[in-house]
């Protein structure tokens, strides 16, 4: 193992980059030993088996100034220095070295057991402080801890570097996974947080589907990927004044972009459309080509698939003129907006409001009897099939698993010939879903209710809204309210109230906590409100309850 005091520029160059790894890929570390007692520095550098810890090179210096010269010339990972040295002591050396290498790991050796030195070492974040003469075992143990920390930091740094280098690709892959319906609920929320994508769930988004036109569509795949990259940057630049953008390329090379407001408010449609028109002009002016864009508003994530299929269908079927997508007439545009009016079809299906869902489907299809537009009928078909697919997925199955062969034929590509056929198919499928979901045992509802009860009991001090609880068990609030009443005979709010009173009762019996503290611990930070709610339930105040219990007057509760 090299032990050196001299250096050259070439050696410094060779000490950087991938050369600082052994054949097994493990990072190699370098150590600088500094002590004004030459024999002690030589002994530490030459006789300790540092290579067993993965230290490949040991440098030594006999003064702080010589040590700083080495630090300026070579990549040093660990500095082991004596404290008491002439002109510049070890603590001052660490301060100067850290200015050059902020992540430098430091180990202090001294023959003076001085608390002030130890305190200063802690301030400088030295990783260990050993008294001289230190035994070999002590040195190796302390250095082993330092090497372990270095490896952990490098692993984290490598992870961040991989993420930074591949951030766009990872985010794009996540969007495609959401689009496929393979990610939702808690797992999706965790992924969004991991990738720093602050989309509210559920949240309103504007979805833009961009297709490359002439002459881009005739270029090779690599050239098209560069164009998509440029278009993505241009779109984000145009949107950044007001909104954020999350983009990916689908399997057919279309650019998919979700536009969203950090507040969760719906993006302003007119503003987004104006920016899309500017994007088209910028692509023409700067890239000398054409693009077509389909834009829809939807609720993320449940309506994403339906909106995507609608936009894709439009781009697939509409004829282009000068690279522009023809506008729908007012009647067709009104119908498309109607698809996303509340209550949404997915919410009606989710909460098993079958009659309301049937009425909404009829309202979608009825205008198609008069328009005669095959493209509009296909858009409505995609919207309905994706709503049905969403509900099937929530029950842990695919839509195909729940349909008859005749019903699934249209999903697999069989053409719809007229609107009455679409209506018949949709209503028949709705009845199938109702029957299939009705076959599920009550165990599923019981599990949801039990999970809700356990969460309430654990988090009584929190703001337990129905919306929050529904998110915790991944169902719609209306559905949770319905099955909770069916399974328990009481409402969610009444159950929360009862659990809070029961816990307050136990705390009054078995603790000496102040009344205000008990109120806070069960979700009543206002003491007067807590006393009032407790008296409504037990007909006595909390203090009266405690006093009577301690006098042996139990049996006050219900």
């Amino acid at each position: 193992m090299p032990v050196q005091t001299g250096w050259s520029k070439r050696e410094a160059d060779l000490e950087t980059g991938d050369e600082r790894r052994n054949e097994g890929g493990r990072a190699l570390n370098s150590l600088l030993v500094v002590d004004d007692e030459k024999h002690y520095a030589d002994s530490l550098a030459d006789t300790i088996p540092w290579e067993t810890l993965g230290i490949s090179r040991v440098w030594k210096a006999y003064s702080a100034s010589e040590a700083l010269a080495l630090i300026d010339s070579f990549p040093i990972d660990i500095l082991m220095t004596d404290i008491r040295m002439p002109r510049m002591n070890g603590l001052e050396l660490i301060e100067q070295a850290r200015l050059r290498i902020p992540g430098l790991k430091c180990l202090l050796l001294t023959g003076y057991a001085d608390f002030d030195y130890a305190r200063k070492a802690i301030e400088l974040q030295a990783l260990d402080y050993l008294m001289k003469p230190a035994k070999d075992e002590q040195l190796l143990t302390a250095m082993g801890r330092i090497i372990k920390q270095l490896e952990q930091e490098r692993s984290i740094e490598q992870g961040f570097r991989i993420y930074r280098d591949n951030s766009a690709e990872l985010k794009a892959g996540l969007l495609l996974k959401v689009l496929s319906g393979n990610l939702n609920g808690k797992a999706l929320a965790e992924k969004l947080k991991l990738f720093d994508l602050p989309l509210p769930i559920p949240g309103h988004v504007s979805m833009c589907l961009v297709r490359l036109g002439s002459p881009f569509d005739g270029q090779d795949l690599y050239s098209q990927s560069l164009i998509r990259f440029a278009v993505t940057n241009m779109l984000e630049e145009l949107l950044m004044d007001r909104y954020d953008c999350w983009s990916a390329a689908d399997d057919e090379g279309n650019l998919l972009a979700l536009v969203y407001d950090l507040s969760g408010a719906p993006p302003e449609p007119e503003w987004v459309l104006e920016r899309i028109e500017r994007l088209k002009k910028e692509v023409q002016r700067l890239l000398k080509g054409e693009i077509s864009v389909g834009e829809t508003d939807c609720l993320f994530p449940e309506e994403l698939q339906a909106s995507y299929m609608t936009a894709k269908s439009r781009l697939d079927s509409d004829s282009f003129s000068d690279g522009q997508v023809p506008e729908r007439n007012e009647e067709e545009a009104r119908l498309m907006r109607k698809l996303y009016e509340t209550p949404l079809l997915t919410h009606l299906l989710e909460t098993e409001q079958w009659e309301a869902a049937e009425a909404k489907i009829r309202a979608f299809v009825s205008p198609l009897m008069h328009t005669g537009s095959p493209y509009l009928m296909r858009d409505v078909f995609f919207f309905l099939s994706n709503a049905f697919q969403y509900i099937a997925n929530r029950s842990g199955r695919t839509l195909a698993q729940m349909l008859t062969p005749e019903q699934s034929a249209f999903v697999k590509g069989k053409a719809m010939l007229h609107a009455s056929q679409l209506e018949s198919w949709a209503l028949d499928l709705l009845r199938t879903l109702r029957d299939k979901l009705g076959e599920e045992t009550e165990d599923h509802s019981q599990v949801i209710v039990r999970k809700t009860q356990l969460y309430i009991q654990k988090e009584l001090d929190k703001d337990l809204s129905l919306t929050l609880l529904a998110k915790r068990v991944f169902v719609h609030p209306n559905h949770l309210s319905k099955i909770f009443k069916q399974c328990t005979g009481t409402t969610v709010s009444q159950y929360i109230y009862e659990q809070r009173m029961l816990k307050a009762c136990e705390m009054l019996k078995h603790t000496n906590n102040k009344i205000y503290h008990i109120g806070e611990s069960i979700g009543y930070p206002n003491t007067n409100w807590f006393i009032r709610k407790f008296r409504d339930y037990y007909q006595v105040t909390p203090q009266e309850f405690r006093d009577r219990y301690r006098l042996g007057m139990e049996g006050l509760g219900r």
Side-chain angles (χ1 to χ4, degrees):
M1 178 179 61
V3 180
Q4 301 183 15
T5 56
W7 60 90
S8 69
K9 183 66 172 65
R10 172 161 175 75
E11 285 176 313
D13 292 339
L14 290 175
E15 283 290 334
T16 62
D18 292 337
E19 286 81 0
R20 299 188 65 212
R21 292 185 176 275
N22 62 18
E23 292 180 357
R26 180 180 179 182
L28 301 175
N29 302 290
S30 60
L31 167 67
L32 172 58
V33 178
V34 187
D35 199 302
D36 61 320
E37 297 181 48
K38 185 176 182 298
H39 70 280
Y40 194 68
D42 291 343
S43 175
L44 289 175
D46 299 344
T47 63
I48 306 295
W50 300 117
E51 67 276 3
T52 62
L53 298 177
I55 296 176
S56 62
R57 175 159 292 180
V58 178
W59 303 91
K60 54 189 177 184
Y62 308 124
S63 68
S65 59
E66 186 180 351
L68 289 174
L70 283 167
I71 289 171
D72 286 336
S73 301
F74 297 100
I76 305 296
D77 299 304
I78 307 163
L79 171 64
M80 181 167 62
T81 180
D82 186 21
I83 290 182
R84 291 264 182 153
M85 295 187 296
R87 290 182 290 281
M88 181 186 295
N89 65 37
L91 298 175
E92 293 169 332
L93 169 60
I94 290 176
E95 287 186 285
Q96 291 298 315
R98 283 269 174 79
L99 293 176
R100 294 161 166 79
I101 309 176
L104 185 68
K105 306 303 175 191
C106 301
L107 173 64
L108 284 165
L109 294 170
T110 183
Y112 298 88
D114 191 314
F115 175 74
D116 288 337
Y117 284 140
R119 183 175 59 186
K120 185 65 175 178
I122 293 170
E123 290 174 1
L124 293 172
Q125 296 180 325
L127 294 184
D128 224 324
Y129 181 94
L130 299 178
M131 295 297 298
K132 293 168 61 176
K135 296 181 179 179
D136 290 3
E137 293 79 7
Q138 289 178 302
L139 286 167
L140 288 170
T141 299
M143 194 64 68
R145 288 194 293 266
I146 293 175
I147 295 296
K148 183 176 181 180
Q149 181 169 336
L150 269 173
E151 290 175 347
Q152 290 174 340
E153 290 178 0
R154 283 170 180 154
S155 177
I156 294 171
E157 183 181 349
Q158 183 182 19
F160 278 121
R161 185 167 60 251
I162 292 172
Y163 171 74
R164 185 176 61 250
D165 293 343
N166 299 278
S167 175
E169 290 81 359
L170 292 171
K171 289 180 179 179
L174 178 63
L175 178 51
L176 295 179
K177 194 170 184 179
V178 178
L179 184 63
S180 70
N182 293 326
L183 191 64
N184 50 40
K186 184 178 179 181
L188 173 57
E190 290 175 349
K191 289 288 186 181
L192 291 176
K193 184 176 181 180
L194 176 65
F195 286 101
D196 194 25
L197 290 164
L199 265 81
I201 300 179
H204 294 276
V205 301
S206 178
M207 194 202 73
C208 301
L209 194 63
V210 182
R211 176 164 294 171
L212 302 182
S214 177
F216 308 136
D217 51 4
Q219 296 177 346
D220 60 80
L221 295 179
Y222 177 72
S223 299
Q224 289 184 8
S225 69
L226 294 179
I227 294 296
R228 277 195 301 272
F229 178 76
V231 172
T232 302
N233 289 338
M234 293 164 68
L235 178 60
E236 291 177 351
E237 186 93 9
L238 289 168
L239 294 170
M240 65 186 299
D241 289 345
R242 291 181 60 174
Y243 301 120
D244 278 353
C245 183
W246 181 16
S247 60
D250 68 11
D251 294 337
E252 298 179 13
N254 301 311
L255 171 61
L256 170 66
L258 299 190
V259 182
Y260 61 95
D261 192 312
L262 295 179
S263 68
E268 185 180 325
E270 292 78 9
W271 191 89
V272 174
L273 290 173
E274 185 270 332
R275 295 294 159 134
I276 289 174
E277 290 305 313
R278 285 178 57 178
L279 174 65
K280 293 177 181 178
K281 293 176 182 177
E282 289 294 297
V283 171
Q284 286 179 329
R285 184 175 67 87
L286 298 175
L287 302 180
K288 310 302 180 186
E290 307 289 339
I291 59 170
S292 54
V293 184
E295 188 274 338
T296 61
D297 297 326
C298 68
L299 194 66
F300 177 86
E302 53 257 44
E303 297 173 3
L304 185 62
Q305 285 180 320
S307 293
Y308 169 77
M309 294 302 294
T310 297
K312 183 174 177 294
S313 172
R314 196 173 305 162
L315 293 179
D316 285 342
S317 59
D318 287 345
S319 58
F320 294 0
S321 175
D322 296 326
Q324 301 296 317
V325 180
E327 295 292 331
R328 293 189 182 276
N329 61 43
E330 181 56 35
E331 177 63 20
E332 292 177 342
R334 186 193 65 78
L335 176 58
M336 292 306 299
R337 288 195 298 270
K338 193 175 184 66
L339 297 178
Y340 302 102
E341 291 176 356
T342 56
L344 297 168
L345 178 61
T346 49
H347 290 173
L348 295 176
L349 296 173
E350 197 173 27
T351 54
E352 300 181 8
Q353 299 181 58
W354 304 112
E355 292 182 3
E358 180 176 341
K360 198 164 187 73
I361 290 171
R362 292 186 186 278
F364 292 160
V365 180
S366 179
L368 298 178
M369 306 288 188
H370 311 293
T371 63
S373 169
Y375 303 133
L376 186 58
M377 187 172 75
R378 187 162 66 174
D379 287 349
V380 174
F381 167 75
F382 280 132
F383 176 87
L384 293 173
S385 61
N386 278 282
F388 294 142
Q389 178 71 63
Y390 170 72
I391 297 304
N393 289 344
R394 285 185 65 86
S395 67
R397 289 171 284 184
T398 65
L399 186 59
Q401 291 173 328
M402 304 182 75
L403 302 185
T404 65
E406 184 178 352
Q407 291 169 336
S408 61
F410 293 106
V411 178
K412 294 177 180 178
K414 182 179 177 180
M416 285 281 181
L417 299 179
H418 45 77
S420 60
Q421 189 179 35
L422 173 61
E423 182 179 64
S424 176
W425 171 83
L427 295 179
D428 188 44
L429 199 154
L430 178 67
R431 286 187 285 270
T432 299
L433 280 177
R434 180 193 60 195
D435 295 342
K436 291 286 186 181
L437 293 174
E439 292 172 2
E440 292 184 349
T441 64
E442 293 183 359
D443 290 345
H444 181 62
S445 295
Q446 293 284 358
V447 168
I448 292 175
V449 170
R450 183 57 184 158
K451 286 182 178 179
T452 304
Q453 290 175 323
L454 290 173
Y455 182 79
I456 290 171
Q457 293 165 11
K458 182 181 177 183
E459 305 290 348
L460 286 173
D461 60 324
K462 302 292 193 304
D463 180 17
L464 298 172
S465 67
L466 182 62
T467 300
L468 181 145
L469 293 171
K471 286 183 178 180
R472 290 289 177 180
V473 293
F474 311 114
V475 297
H476 191 275
N478 292 345
H479 184 58
L480 175 61
S481 178
K482 177 182 175 181
I483 64 172
F484 197 95
K485 184 66 181 290
Q486 288 175 344
C487 294
T488 67
T490 188
T491 64
V492 174
S493 59
Q494 182 65 23
Y495 180 80
I496 294 171
Y497 178 39
E498 291 175 353
Q499 291 301 309
R500 283 173 166 162
M501 293 302 102
L502 290 173
K503 184 173 181 181
C505 172
E506 291 303 308
M507 294 182 72
L508 288 166
K509 287 180 179 179
H510 305 301
T511 76
N512 293 318
N513 292 350
K514 301 290 186 182
I515 300 299
Y516 75 86
H517 178 75
I518 293 175
E520 289 176 349
S521 68
I522 61 170
Y524 294 113
N526 184 307
T527 305
N528 290 332
W529 182 246
F530 165 54
I531 293 172
R532 177 179 172 181
K533 299 297 289 184
F534 189 92
R535 187 170 52 211
D536 289 345
Y537 195 83
Y538 287 106
Q539 286 77 54
V540 292
T541 67
Q543 189 59 53
E544 289 171 341
F545 183 96
R546 173 176 275 171
D547 293 342
R548 292 186 186 185
Y549 175 77
R550 291 181 178 179
L551 288 172
M553 298 179 65
E554 300 180 50
L556 297 175
R558 298 181 182 182

